[in-house]
Amino acid sequence: MSASEMGKTALKPSFAPSPLTTFFIKLAAVTCAVLVFFYVAFTLITGFIEERANELAILKGGPAFWGTMEEKLYKLASGPDLPPEKKEKIVSALRTLSVRYKPYVDAIASDVKSQQQR
C-alpha cells in the first residue's frame, strides 16, 4: 500500500449509536434484569410457601392427616396427667358452656330428628 492509500483507509468513521438506540439498549437491559429479579423472587417465595404447607398436617388430606392425628393421640395418651385443680377448672368451664349453649344444640337436634322422620 502506498502512503496516499493508507490515509484514506484509516479515516473511516466509526459507528456511534444514536441516543434513541442507546435508550432502547438500556431499556432492554433493565427489563431483563427486572424480569430475572421477579422470577427468582417468585420462585423463592412459592418454594417457601410450599415448604411451610407441607409441614402443616392439617392442610394434608387422607393418610398423611390421619397418620399425624394417630401420632398426636398416642402422644397425648402416654403423656403425664393434668393436675386435679386444672382438671376441675376445665370440667367446670365445659359445664358452663354446656348449660349456656344447650338450648341451641337441642333446637338443632330436634330439627334434624324432624327432618329424618319425614
Side-chain angles (χ1 to χ4, degrees):
M1 271 188 163
S2 67
S4 63
E5 291 177 2
M6 287 185 90
K8 292 178 184 175
T9 58
L11 296 177
K12 286 187 178 179
S14 63
F15 175 73
S18 69
L20 190 58
T21 305
T22 305
F23 169 75
F24 282 122
I25 291 171
K26 289 179 180 180
L27 179 67
V30 169
T31 303
C32 288
V34 167
L35 289 175
V36 167
F37 170 77
F38 282 121
Y39 175 76
V40 169
F42 179 75
T43 303
L44 290 175
I45 290 172
T46 54
F48 178 76
I49 291 172
E50 287 175 356
E51 183 180 312
R52 293 294 177 237
N54 287 336
E55 290 176 4
L56 296 174
I58 293 174
L59 298 179
K60 295 179 185 176
F65 174 79
W66 292 112
T68 305
M69 291 303 294
E70 184 179 4
E71 289 173 17
K72 288 183 179 182
L73 177 66
Y74 293 148
K75 185 178 177 182
L76 284 172
S78 64
D81 204 12
L82 294 174
E85 301 85 26
K86 193 168 186 175
K87 278 185 183 179
E88 186 58 38
K89 188 175 179 181
I90 292 172
V91 169
S92 173
L94 288 172
R95 285 186 185 128
T96 303
L97 288 174
S98 174
V99 168
R100 184 177 299 159
Y101 294 108
K102 186 169 178 18
Y104 303 108
V105 174
D106 290 343
I108 292 171
S110 67
D111 287 344
V112 171
K113 286 180 184 177
S114 66
Q115 287 179 358
Q116 288 177 350
Q117 291 175 354
R118 291 182 189 174

